[in-house]
Amino acid sequence: EEAPPLRGEKHAGAGKAAALGSAVHAVFERITRWDDENKPEWALHPATEAERIVAECMEIPSIRELFTPPETARIMKEQRIEAIDGNNWISGIIDRLILDDGAAVIVDFKTDHADTPEQLRERHANQLNAYARIVSRITGIPLERITRTIVSTCLKEPSPFNNPLFPDNSVFPLFPAPYSHSGSSPEWGRHCSGQQAGIETTCCIDRERKNAK
């Protein structure tokens, strides 16, 4: 019988998994729109385990579809958000957010092990649901037009959430910050309008990174 791992070995394994997860997220972040006819060099000749994992994912049509939105779509990567939900402070990063034609797609990359899509959805439902409510409050997009999807590098498939969400007026976004006036800022890109606390506000969402491919 194999001896159980020592505590230090467990911590080392967890640290390695976390480092790989961060590296995978960084590779996904390089992708703005995917062109299967003009793949980047790292996808053709992966130099790291993270690049190999992402390249394999991009061979899956249902995953690739999330990286080929309409040209009119606005794409944000690693979008930081903060909000107060009742008595709770929510702080997170949306891995990939796509806004187009009055709808939104929230994509979250997961590298943790799972046996089924249902297992992943159950594990991360609270996180994705909170993100959807915050995005809805910031942009004014109805919850029924916000899609939540997990891309699992373990299962090599997207896992969309199909359960309906209902508005929650206790969610108050802090970042991207709502403003009571309109105007531009060098730190921010496009403005979008929405209703917040019963008054018309505008909020801004980070401009997409120029160095992404």
Side-chain angles (χ1 to χ4, degrees), residues 11-27 48-50 53 111:
H11 287 312
K16 184 177 180 181
L20 178 61
S22 296
V24 166
H25 276 73
V27 177
T48 66
E49 184 178 2
I53 290 171
T111 57

Side-chain angles (χ1 to χ4, degrees), residues 37-144:
E37 300 300 319
N38 187 27
K39 295 179 182 179
E41 180 64 23
W42 63 260
L44 295 172
H45 306 287
T48 66
E49 184 178 2
E51 290 180 344
R52 178 188 60 78
I53 290 171
V54 175
E56 289 177 355
C57 286
M58 297 308 294
E59 293 297 317
I60 310 299
S62 55
I63 293 179
R64 200 162 56 237
E65 184 178 348
L66 296 169
F67 294 85
T68 55
E71 288 298 320
T72 55
R74 178 158 181 79
I75 303 166
M76 283 143 284
K77 294 166 286 183
E78 298 295 308
Q79 175 62 57
R80 181 168 67 90
I81 55 172
E82 294 186 16
I84 294 175
D85 183 358
N87 294 322
N88 299 316
W89 180 287
I90 299 173
S91 180
I93 295 176
I94 299 178
D95 294 336
R96 185 174 176 87
L97 176 61
I98 305 166
L99 302 178
D100 186 52
D101 195 25
V105 179
I106 296 171
V107 183
D108 200 68
F109 308 121
K110 296 299 183 187
T111 57
D112 50 331
H113 175 78
D115 295 316
T116 64
E118 292 75 21
Q119 189 180 70
L120 266 182
R121 286 192 290 267
E122 182 178 352
R123 188 182 300 163
H124 301 292
N126 289 342
Q127 176 191 4
L128 273 292
N129 293 346
Y131 286 177
R133 288 191 173 97
I134 293 170
V135 168
S136 178
R137 292 285 281 174
I138 289 173
T139 62
I141 296 173
L143 282 168
E144 60 268 22

Side-chain angles (χ1 to χ4, degrees), residues 129 133 143-144 146 148 161-167:
N129 293 346
R133 288 191 173 97
L143 282 168
E144 60 268 22
I146 298 178
R148 298 151 287 151
F161 288 76
N162 297 316
N163 63 301
L165 289 179
F166 301 97

Side-chain angles (χ1 to χ4, degrees), residues 150-162:
I150 292 174
V151 170
S152 169
T153 61
C154 172
L155 299 176
K156 296 291 192 299
E157 64 176 294
S159 301
F161 288 76
N162 297 316

